[in-house]
Amino acid sequence: MNIIEARNITKKYTGHMALDDVSVSIPKGTIYGLLGPNGAGKTTLIRIINHITAPDSGEVIFDGHRLCADDVVHIGYLPEERGLYKKMKVGDQAMFFAKLKGLGSKEAETQLKQWFERFGIMDWWGKKVEELSKGMAQKVQFIVTVLHRPKLLIFDEPFSGFDPINADLLKREILKLRDEGATVIFSTHNMESVEALCENFSLINRSHNILSGNVAEIRSRMGADNYKLTFQGSPEALFTSLGDRVLRHKIGAPAETPQGLTYSAELKLQPGTPMREFISLANEAVDIVTFDRALPSMNEIFIKTVEQSNAAADVAKALRAN
Amino acid sequence: MRNNIGIIIHREFAERVAKKSFIITTLLMPVLMLLMMAAPALIMAFSTPSDKHLAVIDESGVMFSPIEEGTKDIEYLTVNQVKAPLDSVIADHGYDGVLFIGADVVENPRNTFLYLHDAGSMEVENTINSILKQKIEDTRLRAYNIENLQQIMAEVEADVHVSTIRIDDDGKEESTSSTISMFIGMAMTFILYMFLLMYGQMVMTSIIEEKNNRVLELVVSSVKPIQLMLGKILGVGLVAVLQVFIWGVLICLMSAFVVPLLMPESITSQVEMMNAGTLDMASGVDPDMLRAVGMFTSVGYLATLFGYILLFLVGGFLFYASIFAAIGSAVDNIQDASQLQSFAIIPIIVALVFSMSVATDPNTSAAFWFSMIPFTSPMVMLARIPFGIPHWEIWVSVVVLYISFVIMAWIAAKIYRVGIFMYGKKPTVRDLIKWARYK
């Protein structure tokens, strides 16, 4: 069951296409990464999912029905660029946002106080926002985003401005919300946190969805036939023995270990090479220390996919120009 | 979503009303306004002109005694006739100045000069001018050798004051004074001008601020942009209404309880007689003054005036605040707003300037049309109302104004919706029009 089904979304601004036929499906109860270079169209997509802007064509299905204005109370959105009313007191402000999300005064106050206690910021309640540091204000913003227990949470760069300790606190809270049943859309440039948190992702580039799927699956697919081998012995002997089964290789400088010189190599094999054959050939030539699959990081996938897509688009453009 | 606009209005209203500056201006303004109205009288009462001691060289030989006589009611002017050359008298610092009267002053009245050691004062000049004028005229008249001249002059003198009586459509008569109507109209126009500019710009700057510190992004995730915009306009508008309302109540209270205490009894009774139509106009009283006093002590009349101010303040504010809101949403900072702002400020100023001319003649066709066009109607209409124009004109103007607000708010909301997410580029009018056309 998907909480969000964005189908064939197109949005045009004067002079440029923000989204061109983008479809995204976000399964309920998961953390979904929305990735892409700056200006790719992520924020536009988020705004459309959040019912702030309307798409020119295409539709968004929220929890089984077409997204409408009333669904906004089930969504919590923490924008990348975010601020608070400077002159307003923290408590009043939190109450204001809570009420906008449809909470009653009493309920809002009890819930807010719980969160403030949990984050250890109870003594900020009566302070003006302008007295808070950026990180402090971010905590308040996080609380007002999640306070009304939305079914869908959208975080755009949630960790920016946080120190490692508070970033970790936030990460735990996000996971906890997921465990309690919320779905999280997570937009970030920090690929490590995508690996750590997201089950699925979409990569948006130049207003197109160029890659979507499960993080583990795509990593293993993109990393097929990639292996990491550390060994002792002669690299020449190894490559002679393996022959044309190795398509590409990268070998680092040998490291001095108590057992002798140890090499570390990354190998891209001919697709379909049986593992057993590879190991036995390698084993004849050198002493194997470790052998493992080399999964590409999300960072590598990001860069490679975006570059390929840009190159393809440029070629298409050049062809059209001729 | 439903009652979110109420939450926005509440926030905008509470934030401003709780400010110290609001409380202070609200309470102090009526006092200041009264002081301003009373200022000329107070200045006259408290500033006694410094004594002037003049020497007079009267070469004609006929002017000196009249000046001496004339100084009887003017305590601060004492004169001494001297017979000495002008230069030496000027050099004598025992006097504040020298009045030189030429020998041919009756034929050539300009041959008089006043030499002063310090700055001249209009008071002294006027006094001397009027005394000399009278004396010269007398001398010239006397040259005709008319018998019983004094008596004739006394009999001929007339004190003219036209009493204007307006007959309204029902045939009811009402005595009016154009002068008072003019002042009341200008005062109301000016109050409205202040409010439109002040509160209109307040809407604009507060939108720019929200956009600038990006709290907008957080708010629009729970509120539709149009709700946010209308909530802000209505919230700020309520503050303006509250302020005018408090002023109205304060001024009505003062006129009911404070002014009668301060007023001398003779004037109060004359006002009563005038209202009853039994006042003898020939008794030498100034009917304009009495009428003005009558108005300031008539709570009902003042309340009606404030009612009209509120009616046009709300309509005018809503209309102009929509324009200011659209501008505020489009720009990133106040500096960028200055150019676009002129689209709101120039019509307001034009309306103010035009109202001043309307206040002298409220019945021209230009006055009529400017009081119907929503850009100028609130102020121009307020300038016309004290003259007692037909009621249908007022209501047509009000209806046009409020309908125009709805249209303007609709256009503004379209611009606002796009503008609040636009950063960086300084928008032009063409951009705004393009945004308003987006689906």
Side-chain angles (χ1 to χ4, degrees):
Chain A
M1 179 70 184
N2 293 327
I3 190 152
I4 286 285
E5 286 250 6
R7 295 176 187 155
N8 312 101
I9 303 286
T10 300
K11 177 79 187 175
K12 209 172 171 176
Y13 289 115
T14 19
H16 87 285
M17 202 75 156
L19 291 172
D20 188 2
D21 197 24
V22 169
S23 298
V24 170
S25 305
I26 298 167
K28 223 177 222 175
T30 61
I31 300 182
Y32 196 94
L34 198 57
L35 319 177
N38 297 320
K42 284 172 299 179
T43 307
T44 306
L45 181 60
I46 289 175
R47 283 186 184 148
I48 288 170
I49 291 175
N50 214 9
H51 208 266
I52 294 172
T53 31
D56 294 340
S57 67
E59 58 174 358
V60 178
I61 306 296
F62 178 83
D63 211 7
H65 60 273
R66 207 177 167 143
L67 180 75
C68 63
D70 286 338
D71 291 327
V72 170
V73 293
H74 300 300
I75 303 178
Y77 172 35
L78 187 67
E80 179 180 8
E81 298 275 8
R82 49 197 175 240
L84 294 169
Y85 289 106
K86 284 198 185 108
K87 302 269 173 204
M88 221 175 162
K89 289 194 175 133
V90 175
D92 292 347
Q93 186 140 222
M95 290 290 288
F96 167 71
F97 282 107
K99 281 187 203 161
L100 282 185
K101 287 294 189 185
L103 265 65
S105 293
K106 274 231 172 88
E107 195 191 352
E109 196 172 335
T110 29
Q111 299 234 22
L112 276 175
K113 296 234 155 122
Q114 279 174 16
W115 276 98
F116 272 55
E117 291 288 356
R118 182 125 60 99
F119 275 34
I121 56 173
M122 202 53 221
D123 40 330
W124 297 354
W125 188 271
K127 275 193 189 166
K128 279 192 182 167
V129 170
E130 56 191 353
E131 297 171 51
L132 306 186
S133 73
K134 190 185 173 203
M136 289 170 165
Q138 304 265 66
K139 273 189 181 175
V140 178
Q141 287 154 353
F142 179 81
I143 293 175
V144 301
T145 308
V146 304
L147 184 75
H148 59 293
R149 310 237 149 233
K151 295 180 192 168
L152 177 64
L153 282 161
I154 304 173
F155 294 118
D156 200 344
E157 291 294 355
F159 301 122
S160 71
F162 278 105
D163 61 63
I165 294 175
N166 278 312
D168 200 54
L169 171 74
L170 214 63
K171 206 175 275 179
R172 271 184 280 128
E173 292 293 343
I174 292 175
L175 286 171
K176 199 169 148 203
L177 287 162
R178 197 263 324 260
D179 294 342
E180 286 166 8
T183 311
V184 178
I185 298 177
F186 184 44
S187 173
T188 185
H189 292 304
N190 182 346
M191 293 302 137
E192 277 170 36
S193 62
V194 174
E195 282 164 29
L197 291 171
C198 298
E199 278 109 285
N200 303 292
F201 75 94
S202 278
L203 178 55
I204 313 276
N205 184 42
R206 295 192 182 177
S207 67
H208 290 87
N209 182 356
I210 54 169
L211 182 66
S212 266
N214 184 281
V215 173
E217 200 182 296
I218 285 181
R219 281 181 74 194
S220 89
R221 186 176 51 168
M222 304 261 295
D225 312 309
N226 279 345
Y227 297 93
K228 207 169 150 190
L229 185 72
T230 50
F231 61 89
Q232 289 165 351
S234 148
E236 285 78 25
L238 176 71
F239 291 124
T240 321
S241 167
L242 288 171
D244 58 4
R245 290 175 186 81
V246 175
L247 289 181
R248 275 198 306 277
H249 71 266
K250 209 163 83 189
I251 191 154
E256 192 79 58
T257 63
Q259 289 78 34
L261 277 184
T262 305
Y263 290 91
S264 175
E266 272 176 43
L267 308 170
K268 168 93 181 160
L269 301 188
Q270 189 85 22
T273 311
M275 202 58 30
R276 186 179 296 213
E277 186 188 320
F278 170 79
I279 292 174
S280 84
L281 285 173
N283 200 29
E284 278 170 25
V286 295
D287 294 330
I288 295 173
V289 179
T290 64
F291 173 67
D292 200 358
R293 299 181 65 185
L295 285 187
S297 66
M298 281 307 291
N299 208 33
E300 285 164 338
I301 294 175
F302 182 101
I303 293 170
K304 198 170 146 197
T305 318
V306 167
E307 277 173 354
Q308 276 173 2
S309 140
N310 286 352
D314 291 342
V315 167
K317 205 166 154 193
L319 284 177
R320 238 178 293 132
N322 291 333
Chain B
M1 285 314 259
R2 308 129 310 263
N3 66 42
N4 276 354
I5 194 162
I7 300 168
I8 303 277
I9 293 175
H10 178 260
R11 199 200 78 83
E12 297 290 339
F13 181 76
E15 184 191 72
R16 292 188 168 76
V17 170
K19 268 190 194 158
K20 273 193 209 100
S21 57
F22 174 79
I23 300 169
I24 292 169
T25 45
T26 306
L27 295 181
L28 276 187
M29 244 340 211
V31 179
L32 279 179
M33 280 199 298
L34 281 184
L35 275 182
M36 246 156 64
M37 281 193 275
L42 286 177
I43 290 168
M44 293 247 281
F46 287 108
S47 68
T48 43
S50 52
D51 291 344
K52 284 264 186 291
H53 190 199
L54 298 182
V56 176
I57 300 171
D58 183 3
E59 298 201 327
S60 70
V62 293
M63 291 292 142
F64 174 61
S65 69
I67 285 182
E68 201 176 37
E69 277 167 30
T71 55
K72 275 179 194 160
D73 358 43
I74 310 161
E75 298 131 18
Y76 56 89
L77 200 61
T78 47
V79 292
N80 282 69
Q81 183 161 26
V82 287
K83 290 208 173 357
L86 180 61
D87 295 345
S88 69
V89 186
I90 289 176
D92 178 358
H93 277 260
Y95 298 106
D96 293 309
V98 185
L99 176 64
F100 174 83
I101 299 169
D104 58 345
V105 70
V106 176
E107 294 79 35
N108 179 15
R110 287 180 184 278
N111 193 11
T112 52
F113 300 92
L114 179 62
Y115 302 90
L116 288 177
H117 291 300
D118 48 13
S121 99
M122 208 140 78
E123 198 90 40
V124 172
E125 273 171 44
N126 287 345
T127 311
I128 291 172
N129 279 343
S130 73
I131 294 167
L132 289 179
K133 179 174 146 77
Q134 177 116 42
K135 181 61 189 168
I136 290 169
E137 283 172 3
D138 278 357
T139 314
R140 286 177 182 178
L141 265 177
R142 225 172 269 130
Y144 289 100
N145 288 322
I146 303 167
E147 270 181 64
N148 300 332
L149 184 69
Q150 293 285 339
Q151 197 191 336
I152 294 171
M153 290 303 290
E155 282 172 18
V156 164
E157 198 181 285
D159 182 18
V160 179
H161 184 94
V162 176
S163 300
T164 313
I165 292 157
R166 195 179 66 81
I167 305 156
D168 66 14
D169 301 340
D170 314 332
K172 253 178 23 191
E173 291 185 2
E174 191 189 338
S175 71
T176 63
S177 152
S178 299
T179 322
I180 295 176
S181 302
M182 183 182 88
F183 277 117
I184 291 177
M186 292 210 295
M188 294 204 296
T189 305
F190 197 75
I191 293 178
L192 194 69
Y193 163 79
M194 251 169 44
F195 268 82
L196 289 188
L197 266 193
M198 224 169 67
Y199 282 90
Q201 284 179 317
M202 199 184 278
V203 168
M204 186 186 74
T205 44
S206 119
I207 289 174
I208 293 176
E209 228 177 79
E210 276 179 3
K211 192 178 166 184
N212 233 328
N213 67 25
R214 315 278 166 152
V215 68
L216 241 168
E217 308 254 348
L218 220 54
V219 180
V220 289
S221 68
S222 1
V223 185
K224 273 183 176 281
I226 183 168
Q227 288 181 318
L228 181 58
M229 187 191 89
L230 285 179
K232 181 172 288 291
I233 291 176
L234 293 176
V236 174
L238 270 184
V239 180
V241 168
L242 178 72
Q243 193 159 42
V244 170
F245 182 76
I246 293 176
W247 290 0
V249 169
L250 282 180
I251 287 180
C252 286
L253 284 179
M254 274 196 256
S255 104
F257 299 110
V258 184
V259 178
L261 290 181
L262 297 176
M263 209 53 78
E265 213 161 296
S266 60
I267 294 183
T268 334
S269 67
Q270 278 173 338
V271 170
E272 273 161 23
M273 280 161 73
M274 187 187 69
N275 288 343
T278 57
L279 182 67
D280 179 11
M281 285 295 179
S283 63
V285 294
D286 180 352
D288 268 351
M289 206 269 284
L290 284 188
R291 248 186 229 111
V293 173
M295 278 170 184
F296 283 113
T297 49
S298 156
V299 177
Y301 183 71
L302 288 177
T304 317
L305 287 186
F306 270 99
Y308 280 126
I309 293 182
L310 277 179
L311 193 62
F312 283 98
L313 169 69
V314 171
F317 169 79
L318 290 177
F319 179 76
Y320 270 108
S322 306
I323 302 177
F324 276 116
I327 295 168
S329 72
V331 299
D332 291 355
N333 51 56
I334 306 266
Q335 288 86 336
D336 285 1
S338 56
Q339 217 172 345
L340 285 171
Q341 238 196 116
S342 52
F343 284 91
I345 292 179
I346 288 175
I348 294 181
I349 291 174
V350 166
L352 177 75
V353 172
F354 192 73
S355 297
M356 296 300 155
S357 81
V358 164
T360 58
D361 187 0
N363 294 317
T364 61
S365 67
F368 173 80
W369 287 112
F370 274 105
S371 63
M372 293 297 153
I373 299 167
F375 282 95
T376 49
S377 71
M379 277 182 269
V380 175
M381 199 39 118
L382 277 188
R384 294 180 71 209
I385 284 177
F387 291 92
I389 55 166
H391 282 116
W392 69 265
E393 287 189 16
I394 302 179
W395 293 116
V396 169
S397 166
V398 167
V399 170
V400 170
L401 181 61
Y402 280 77
I403 291 175
S404 308
F405 154 63
V406 174
I407 297 168
M408 190 51 85
W410 182 73
I411 297 170
K414 298 200 120 199
I415 295 173
Y416 181 89
R417 193 188 50 161
V418 180
I420 50 174
F421 295 121
M422 294 289 178
Y423 291 100
K425 204 178 97 194
K426 188 172 152 187
T428 60
V429 182
R430 197 174 295 165
D431 290 327
L432 297 199
I433 294 170
K434 205 161 57 194
W435 297 349
R437 286 196 179 149
Y438 279 159
K439 192 173 69 151

